[in-house]
mmCIF file of all heavy atoms in Angstrom:
data_model
loop_
_atom_site.group_PDB
_atom_site.id
_atom_site.type_symbol
_atom_site.label_atom_id
_atom_site.label_comp_id
_atom_site.label_asym_id
_atom_site.label_seq_id
_atom_site.Cartn_x
_atom_site.Cartn_y
_atom_site.Cartn_z
ATOM 1 N N ASN E 26 167.294 -46.627 -12.387
ATOM 2 C CA ASN E 26 166.631 -45.401 -11.898
ATOM 3 C C ASN E 26 165.966 -45.771 -10.438
ATOM 4 O O ASN E 26 166.072 -46.829 -10.034
ATOM 5 C CB ASN E 26 165.695 -44.822 -12.863
ATOM 6 C CG ASN E 26 164.506 -45.800 -13.223
ATOM 7 O OD1 ASN E 26 164.202 -46.767 -12.488
ATOM 8 N ND2 ASN E 26 163.732 -45.500 -14.273
ATOM 9 N N ASP E 27 165.258 -44.752 -10.008
ATOM 10 C CA ASP E 27 164.607 -45.024 -8.691
ATOM 11 C C ASP E 27 163.499 -46.085 -8.706
ATOM 12 O O ASP E 27 163.059 -46.523 -7.629
ATOM 13 C CB ASP E 27 163.980 -43.660 -8.222
ATOM 14 C CG ASP E 27 165.127 -42.650 -7.936
ATOM 15 O OD1 ASP E 27 166.223 -43.066 -7.730
ATOM 16 O OD2 ASP E 27 164.859 -41.356 -7.913
ATOM 17 N N ASN E 28 163.050 -46.386 -9.903
ATOM 18 C CA ASN E 28 162.000 -47.426 -10.052
ATOM 19 C C ASN E 28 162.605 -48.838 -10.330
ATOM 20 O O ASN E 28 161.888 -49.747 -10.700
ATOM 21 C CB ASN E 28 161.028 -47.111 -11.085
ATOM 22 C CG ASN E 28 160.189 -45.875 -10.846
ATOM 23 O OD1 ASN E 28 159.814 -45.558 -9.653
ATOM 24 N ND2 ASN E 28 160.020 -45.027 -11.777
ATOM 25 N N ALA E 29 163.901 -48.969 -10.063
ATOM 26 C CA ALA E 29 164.698 -50.203 -10.334
ATOM 27 C C ALA E 29 164.589 -50.620 -11.850
ATOM 28 O O ALA E 29 164.601 -51.782 -12.156
ATOM 29 C CB ALA E 29 164.159 -51.338 -9.414
ATOM 30 N N GLU E 30 164.363 -49.658 -12.707
ATOM 31 C CA GLU E 30 164.312 -49.921 -14.161
ATOM 32 C C GLU E 30 165.817 -49.609 -14.704
ATOM 33 O O GLU E 30 166.466 -48.670 -14.243
ATOM 34 C CB GLU E 30 163.381 -49.045 -14.842
ATOM 35 C CG GLU E 30 161.972 -49.189 -14.392
ATOM 36 C CD GLU E 30 160.947 -48.293 -14.941
ATOM 37 O OE1 GLU E 30 161.408 -47.218 -15.526
ATOM 38 O OE2 GLU E 30 159.693 -48.531 -14.753
ATOM 39 N N ILE E 31 166.206 -50.420 -15.708
ATOM 40 C CA ILE E 31 167.439 -50.160 -16.333
ATOM 41 C C ILE E 31 167.331 -49.038 -17.380
ATOM 42 O O ILE E 31 166.497 -49.059 -18.226
ATOM 43 C CB ILE E 31 167.970 -51.433 -17.081
ATOM 44 C CG1 ILE E 31 168.061 -52.641 -16.138
ATOM 45 C CG2 ILE E 31 169.252 -51.179 -17.741
ATOM 46 C CD1 ILE E 31 168.270 -53.979 -16.793
ATOM 47 N N VAL E 32 168.221 -48.028 -17.154
ATOM 48 C CA VAL E 32 168.154 -46.886 -18.046
ATOM 49 C C VAL E 32 169.387 -46.686 -18.873
ATOM 50 O O VAL E 32 169.457 -45.875 -19.831
ATOM 51 C CB VAL E 32 167.903 -45.577 -17.225
ATOM 52 C CG1 VAL E 32 166.520 -45.610 -16.622
ATOM 53 C CG2 VAL E 32 168.936 -45.362 -16.122
ATOM 54 N N GLU E 33 170.433 -47.534 -18.568
ATOM 55 C CA GLU E 33 171.665 -47.336 -19.274
ATOM 56 C C GLU E 33 172.554 -48.691 -19.122
ATOM 57 O O GLU E 33 172.461 -49.262 -18.063
ATOM 58 C CB GLU E 33 172.510 -46.198 -18.841
ATOM 59 C CG GLU E 33 173.676 -45.837 -19.721
ATOM 60 C CD GLU E 33 174.341 -44.469 -19.317
ATOM 61 O OE1 GLU E 33 173.764 -43.832 -18.371
ATOM 62 O OE2 GLU E 33 175.417 -44.272 -19.868
ATOM 63 N N LEU E 34 173.290 -49.024 -20.244
ATOM 64 C CA LEU E 34 174.311 -50.047 -20.045
ATOM 65 C C LEU E 34 175.707 -49.439 -20.172
ATOM 66 O O LEU E 34 175.904 -48.616 -21.128
ATOM 67 C CB LEU E 34 174.130 -50.991 -21.290
ATOM 68 C CG LEU E 34 172.751 -51.765 -21.401
ATOM 69 C CD1 LEU E 34 172.715 -52.590 -22.674
ATOM 70 C CD2 LEU E 34 172.548 -52.614 -20.200
ATOM 71 N N VAL E 35 176.468 -49.701 -19.197
ATOM 72 C CA VAL E 35 177.824 -49.035 -19.122
ATOM 73 C C VAL E 35 178.908 -50.084 -19.124
ATOM 74 O O VAL E 35 178.916 -51.007 -18.266
ATOM 75 C CB VAL E 35 177.943 -48.154 -17.934
ATOM 76 C CG1 VAL E 35 179.269 -47.417 -17.941
ATOM 77 C CG2 VAL E 35 176.770 -47.194 -17.814
ATOM 78 N N GLU E 36 179.780 -50.068 -20.092
ATOM 79 C CA GLU E 36 180.909 -50.993 -20.232
ATOM 80 C C GLU E 36 182.088 -50.624 -19.323
ATOM 81 O O GLU E 36 182.645 -49.520 -19.548
ATOM 82 C CB GLU E 36 181.275 -51.169 -21.694
ATOM 83 C CG GLU E 36 182.252 -52.239 -21.984
ATOM 84 C CD GLU E 36 181.715 -53.631 -21.731
ATOM 85 O OE1 GLU E 36 180.479 -53.824 -21.787
ATOM 86 O OE2 GLU E 36 182.587 -54.548 -21.429
ATOM 87 N N LYS E 37 182.475 -51.473 -18.473
ATOM 88 C CA LYS E 37 183.679 -51.261 -17.585
ATOM 89 C C LYS E 37 183.763 -49.805 -17.083
ATOM 90 O O LYS E 37 184.656 -49.069 -17.423
ATOM 91 C CB LYS E 37 184.885 -51.669 -18.399
ATOM 92 C CG LYS E 37 184.932 -53.160 -18.769
ATOM 93 C CD LYS E 37 186.213 -53.527 -19.432
ATOM 94 C CE LYS E 37 186.218 -55.024 -19.816
ATOM 95 N NZ LYS E 37 187.367 -55.487 -20.535
ATOM 96 N N PRO E 38 182.861 -49.391 -16.255
ATOM 97 C CA PRO E 38 182.848 -48.029 -15.734
ATOM 98 C C PRO E 38 183.998 -47.686 -14.862
ATOM 99 O O PRO E 38 184.449 -48.436 -13.983
ATOM 100 C CB PRO E 38 181.552 -48.000 -14.915
ATOM 101 C CG PRO E 38 181.247 -49.362 -14.521
ATOM 102 C CD PRO E 38 181.754 -50.290 -15.577
ATOM 103 N N GLU E 39 184.525 -46.518 -15.083
ATOM 104 C CA GLU E 39 185.751 -46.059 -14.316
ATOM 105 C C GLU E 39 185.249 -45.491 -12.944
ATOM 106 O O GLU E 39 186.050 -45.599 -12.004
ATOM 107 C CB GLU E 39 186.523 -45.004 -15.078
ATOM 108 C CG GLU E 39 187.146 -45.567 -16.387
ATOM 109 C CD GLU E 39 188.015 -44.440 -17.124
ATOM 110 O OE1 GLU E 39 188.053 -43.337 -16.628
ATOM 111 O OE2 GLU E 39 188.520 -44.747 -18.212
ATOM 112 N N THR E 40 184.032 -44.968 -12.911
ATOM 113 C CA THR E 40 183.463 -44.541 -11.657
ATOM 114 C C THR E 40 182.257 -45.484 -11.383
ATOM 115 O O THR E 40 181.637 -45.962 -12.346
ATOM 116 C CB THR E 40 183.025 -43.063 -11.691
ATOM 117 O OG1 THR E 40 182.078 -42.897 -12.790
ATOM 118 C CG2 THR E 40 184.310 -42.257 -11.898
ATOM 119 N N PHE E 41 181.840 -45.567 -10.146
ATOM 120 C CA PHE E 41 180.781 -46.509 -9.754
ATOM 121 C C PHE E 41 179.416 -46.126 -10.406
ATOM 122 O O PHE E 41 179.029 -45.016 -10.288
ATOM 123 C CB PHE E 41 180.661 -46.600 -8.230
ATOM 124 C CG PHE E 41 179.602 -47.601 -7.825
ATOM 125 C CD1 PHE E 41 179.981 -48.950 -7.728
ATOM 126 C CD2 PHE E 41 178.317 -47.262 -7.506
ATOM 127 C CE1 PHE E 41 179.021 -49.892 -7.277
ATOM 128 C CE2 PHE E 41 177.366 -48.198 -7.113
ATOM 129 C CZ PHE E 41 177.759 -49.511 -6.962
ATOM 130 N N VAL E 42 178.911 -47.136 -11.081
ATOM 131 C CA VAL E 42 177.547 -46.977 -11.648
ATOM 132 C C VAL E 42 176.511 -47.960 -10.939
ATOM 133 O O VAL E 42 175.468 -47.522 -10.460
ATOM 134 C CB VAL E 42 177.526 -47.323 -13.144
ATOM 135 C CG1 VAL E 42 176.118 -47.257 -13.764
ATOM 136 C CG2 VAL E 42 178.418 -46.253 -13.894
ATOM 137 N N SER E 43 176.912 -49.167 -10.874
ATOM 138 C CA SER E 43 176.202 -50.162 -10.060
ATOM 139 C C SER E 43 177.073 -51.350 -9.979
ATOM 140 O O SER E 43 178.134 -51.474 -10.668
ATOM 141 C CB SER E 43 174.855 -50.609 -10.718
ATOM 142 O OG SER E 43 174.950 -51.508 -11.715
ATOM 143 N N ASP E 44 176.637 -52.295 -9.044
ATOM 144 C CA ASP E 44 177.422 -53.572 -8.957
ATOM 145 C C ASP E 44 176.748 -54.726 -9.628
ATOM 146 O O ASP E 44 176.982 -55.883 -9.308
ATOM 147 C CB ASP E 44 177.739 -53.877 -7.515
ATOM 148 C CG ASP E 44 176.549 -53.984 -6.641
ATOM 149 O OD1 ASP E 44 175.349 -53.902 -7.202
ATOM 150 O OD2 ASP E 44 176.685 -54.165 -5.455
ATOM 151 N N GLN E 45 175.706 -54.501 -10.531
ATOM 152 C CA GLN E 45 175.040 -55.484 -11.306
ATOM 153 C C GLN E 45 175.647 -55.693 -12.621
ATOM 154 O O GLN E 45 175.491 -54.873 -13.516
ATOM 155 C CB GLN E 45 173.527 -55.088 -11.349
ATOM 156 C CG GLN E 45 172.837 -54.939 -9.997
ATOM 157 C CD GLN E 45 172.751 -56.334 -9.280
ATOM 158 O OE1 GLN E 45 172.616 -57.421 -9.917
ATOM 159 N NE2 GLN E 45 172.931 -56.368 -8.010
ATOM 160 N N ALA E 46 176.361 -56.757 -12.786
ATOM 161 C CA ALA E 46 177.057 -57.067 -14.079
ATOM 162 C C ALA E 46 176.167 -57.814 -14.989
ATOM 163 O O ALA E 46 175.408 -58.771 -14.626
ATOM 164 C CB ALA E 46 178.286 -57.903 -13.805
ATOM 165 N N VAL E 47 176.138 -57.482 -16.298
ATOM 166 C CA VAL E 47 175.385 -58.176 -17.301
ATOM 167 C C VAL E 47 176.089 -59.481 -17.613
ATOM 168 O O VAL E 47 177.317 -59.508 -17.905
ATOM 169 C CB VAL E 47 175.309 -57.336 -18.575
ATOM 170 C CG1 VAL E 47 174.611 -58.076 -19.703
ATOM 171 C CG2 VAL E 47 174.609 -55.924 -18.277
ATOM 172 N N ILE E 48 175.321 -60.597 -17.620
ATOM 173 C CA ILE E 48 175.973 -61.920 -17.749
ATOM 174 C C ILE E 48 175.710 -62.523 -19.170
ATOM 175 O O ILE E 48 176.263 -63.646 -19.347
ATOM 176 C CB ILE E 48 175.425 -62.866 -16.628
ATOM 177 C CG1 ILE E 48 173.959 -63.275 -16.943
ATOM 178 C CG2 ILE E 48 175.676 -62.345 -15.306
ATOM 179 C CD1 ILE E 48 173.539 -64.498 -15.955
ATOM 180 N N GLY E 49 175.021 -61.823 -20.026
ATOM 181 C CA GLY E 49 174.760 -62.335 -21.327
ATOM 182 C C GLY E 49 173.505 -63.177 -21.595
ATOM 183 O O GLY E 49 173.459 -64.016 -22.457
ATOM 184 N N ILE E 50 172.552 -63.023 -20.701
ATOM 185 C CA ILE E 50 171.234 -63.691 -20.884
ATOM 186 C C ILE E 50 170.151 -62.593 -20.789
ATOM 187 O O ILE E 50 170.130 -61.774 -19.862
ATOM 188 C CB ILE E 50 170.988 -64.775 -19.778
ATOM 189 C CG1 ILE E 50 172.146 -65.757 -19.836
ATOM 190 C CG2 ILE E 50 169.632 -65.450 -20.115
ATOM 191 C CD1 ILE E 50 172.033 -66.807 -18.658
ATOM 192 N N TYR E 51 169.169 -62.585 -21.802
ATOM 193 C CA TYR E 51 168.254 -61.528 -21.885
ATOM 194 C C TYR E 51 166.838 -62.151 -22.151
ATOM 195 O O TYR E 51 166.803 -63.039 -22.996
ATOM 196 C CB TYR E 51 168.567 -60.581 -23.098
ATOM 197 C CG TYR E 51 169.999 -60.052 -23.115
ATOM 198 C CD1 TYR E 51 171.018 -60.926 -23.631
ATOM 199 C CD2 TYR E 51 170.269 -58.881 -22.645
ATOM 200 C CE1 TYR E 51 172.334 -60.509 -23.631
ATOM 201 C CE2 TYR E 51 171.598 -58.383 -22.682
ATOM 202 C CZ TYR E 51 172.628 -59.199 -23.244
ATOM 203 O OH TYR E 51 173.969 -58.776 -23.235
ATOM 204 N N TYR E 52 165.851 -61.557 -21.581
ATOM 205 C CA TYR E 52 164.462 -61.903 -21.931
ATOM 206 C C TYR E 52 163.771 -60.769 -22.579
ATOM 207 O O TYR E 52 163.923 -59.557 -22.203
ATOM 208 C CB TYR E 52 163.640 -62.275 -20.708
ATOM 209 C CG TYR E 52 162.099 -62.252 -20.878
ATOM 210 C CD1 TYR E 52 161.483 -63.296 -21.501
ATOM 211 C CD2 TYR E 52 161.349 -61.164 -20.401
ATOM 212 C CE1 TYR E 52 160.119 -63.338 -21.737
ATOM 213 C CE2 TYR E 52 160.055 -61.140 -20.668
ATOM 214 C CZ TYR E 52 159.358 -62.225 -21.300
ATOM 215 O OH TYR E 52 158.065 -62.241 -21.436
ATOM 216 N N PHE E 53 163.003 -61.043 -23.628
ATOM 217 C CA PHE E 53 162.229 -60.011 -24.372
ATOM 218 C C PHE E 53 160.728 -60.511 -24.460
ATOM 219 O O PHE E 53 160.591 -61.650 -24.956
ATOM 220 C CB PHE E 53 162.762 -59.805 -25.822
ATOM 221 C CG PHE E 53 164.225 -59.171 -25.768
ATOM 222 C CD1 PHE E 53 165.305 -60.064 -25.792
ATOM 223 C CD2 PHE E 53 164.409 -57.877 -25.702
ATOM 224 C CE1 PHE E 53 166.564 -59.547 -25.776
ATOM 225 C CE2 PHE E 53 165.639 -57.395 -25.679
ATOM 226 C CZ PHE E 53 166.762 -58.194 -25.647
ATOM 227 N N LYS E 54 159.844 -59.614 -23.968
ATOM 228 C CA LYS E 54 158.425 -59.941 -24.115
ATOM 229 C C LYS E 54 158.050 -60.203 -25.567
ATOM 230 O O LYS E 54 157.191 -61.073 -25.872
ATOM 231 C CB LYS E 54 157.609 -58.825 -23.399
ATOM 232 C CG LYS E 54 156.091 -59.178 -23.381
ATOM 233 C CD LYS E 54 155.403 -58.007 -22.707
ATOM 234 C CE LYS E 54 155.722 -57.829 -21.285
ATOM 235 N NZ LYS E 54 154.845 -56.758 -20.693
ATOM 236 N N ASP E 55 158.567 -59.424 -26.436
ATOM 237 C CA ASP E 55 158.442 -59.629 -27.914
ATOM 238 C C ASP E 55 159.770 -59.386 -28.596
ATOM 239 O O ASP E 55 160.174 -58.234 -28.798
ATOM 240 C CB ASP E 55 157.338 -58.693 -28.522
ATOM 241 C CG ASP E 55 157.090 -59.015 -30.010
ATOM 242 O OD1 ASP E 55 157.801 -60.029 -30.529
ATOM 243 O OD2 ASP E 55 156.246 -58.398 -30.588
ATOM 244 N N VAL E 56 160.481 -60.418 -28.846
ATOM 245 C CA VAL E 56 161.853 -60.290 -29.451
ATOM 246 C C VAL E 56 161.789 -59.717 -30.753
ATOM 247 O O VAL E 56 162.811 -59.203 -31.311
ATOM 248 C CB VAL E 56 162.586 -61.698 -29.418
ATOM 249 C CG1 VAL E 56 162.028 -62.580 -30.534
ATOM 250 C CG2 VAL E 56 164.036 -61.498 -29.508
ATOM 251 N N ALA E 57 160.607 -59.634 -31.365
ATOM 252 C CA ALA E 57 160.539 -58.909 -32.772
ATOM 253 C C ALA E 57 160.871 -57.413 -32.582
ATOM 254 O O ALA E 57 161.380 -56.781 -33.648
ATOM 255 C CB ALA E 57 159.190 -59.083 -33.375
ATOM 256 N N VAL E 58 160.689 -56.884 -31.477
ATOM 257 C CA VAL E 58 161.080 -55.452 -31.309
ATOM 258 C C VAL E 58 162.537 -55.318 -31.411
ATOM 259 O O VAL E 58 163.063 -54.465 -32.025
ATOM 260 C CB VAL E 58 160.507 -54.919 -30.003
ATOM 261 C CG1 VAL E 58 160.967 -53.428 -29.708
ATOM 262 C CG2 VAL E 58 158.958 -55.094 -29.874
ATOM 263 N N LEU E 59 163.258 -56.181 -30.721
ATOM 264 C CA LEU E 59 164.800 -56.152 -30.798
ATOM 265 C C LEU E 59 165.206 -56.432 -32.221
ATOM 266 O O LEU E 59 166.098 -55.788 -32.764
ATOM 267 C CB LEU E 59 165.334 -57.201 -29.853
ATOM 268 C CG LEU E 59 166.894 -57.418 -29.935
ATOM 269 C CD1 LEU E 59 167.609 -56.120 -29.472
ATOM 270 C CD2 LEU E 59 167.341 -58.687 -29.227
ATOM 271 N N LYS E 60 164.495 -57.373 -32.935
ATOM 272 C CA LYS E 60 164.877 -57.678 -34.281
ATOM 273 C C LYS E 60 164.761 -56.468 -35.166
ATOM 274 O O LYS E 60 165.727 -56.155 -36.011
ATOM 275 C CB LYS E 60 163.934 -58.779 -34.864
ATOM 276 C CG LYS E 60 164.137 -59.083 -36.311
ATOM 277 C CD LYS E 60 163.284 -60.261 -36.763
ATOM 278 C CE LYS E 60 161.809 -60.030 -36.716
ATOM 279 N NZ LYS E 60 161.071 -61.171 -37.347
ATOM 280 N N GLY E 61 163.689 -55.653 -35.008
ATOM 281 C CA GLY E 61 163.485 -54.400 -35.756
ATOM 282 C C GLY E 61 164.732 -53.432 -35.496
ATOM 283 O O GLY E 61 165.198 -52.779 -36.409
ATOM 284 N N LYS E 62 165.098 -53.294 -34.293
ATOM 285 C CA LYS E 62 166.202 -52.328 -33.897
ATOM 286 C C LYS E 62 167.554 -52.828 -34.446
ATOM 287 O O LYS E 62 168.271 -52.091 -34.920
ATOM 288 C CB LYS E 62 166.222 -52.186 -32.396
ATOM 289 C CG LYS E 62 164.999 -51.466 -31.788
ATOM 290 C CD LYS E 62 164.612 -50.157 -32.407
ATOM 291 C CE LYS E 62 163.394 -49.537 -31.874
ATOM 292 N NZ LYS E 62 163.010 -48.351 -32.550
ATOM 293 N N LEU E 63 167.761 -54.179 -34.312
ATOM 294 C CA LEU E 63 169.017 -54.673 -34.847
ATOM 295 C C LEU E 63 169.021 -54.614 -36.395
ATOM 296 O O LEU E 63 170.102 -54.363 -36.989
ATOM 297 C CB LEU E 63 169.231 -56.152 -34.440
ATOM 298 C CG LEU E 63 169.516 -56.348 -32.982
ATOM 299 C CD1 LEU E 63 169.633 -57.877 -32.554
ATOM 300 C CD2 LEU E 63 170.866 -55.645 -32.545
ATOM 301 N N GLN E 64 167.877 -54.701 -37.031
ATOM 302 C CA GLN E 64 167.816 -54.543 -38.488
ATOM 303 C C GLN E 64 168.195 -53.126 -38.883
ATOM 304 O O GLN E 64 168.961 -52.923 -39.829
ATOM 305 C CB GLN E 64 166.571 -54.827 -39.068
ATOM 306 C CG GLN E 64 166.379 -54.847 -40.513
ATOM 307 C CD GLN E 64 167.314 -55.887 -41.190
ATOM 308 O OE1 GLN E 64 167.145 -57.126 -40.889
ATOM 309 N NE2 GLN E 64 168.309 -55.539 -42.040
#
């Protein structure tokens, strides 16, 4: 978005979304939040 925050993940976009590719490394301030969502 305009604040340089990620608002969506798009897999192999047919029209231009951005040129920033996800490389498979993530940081979580509290990974327990992700754990809850994955559960």
Side-chain angles (χ1 to χ4, degrees):
N26 64 15
D27 293 338
N28 295 322
E30 298 170 351
I31 302 171
V32 294
E33 191 176 351
L34 300 175
V35 183
E36 185 65 27
K37 297 182 178 179
E39 295 182 1
T40 58
F41 184 81
V42 174
S43 82
D44 59 2
Q45 295 296 320
V47 177
I48 70 170
I50 306 177
Y51 311 81
Y52 163 77
F53 296 91
K54 186 181 291 185
D55 184 2
V56 74
V58 178
L59 175 68
K60 176 172 66 173
K62 297 304 179 185
L63 288 177
Q64 187 63 58

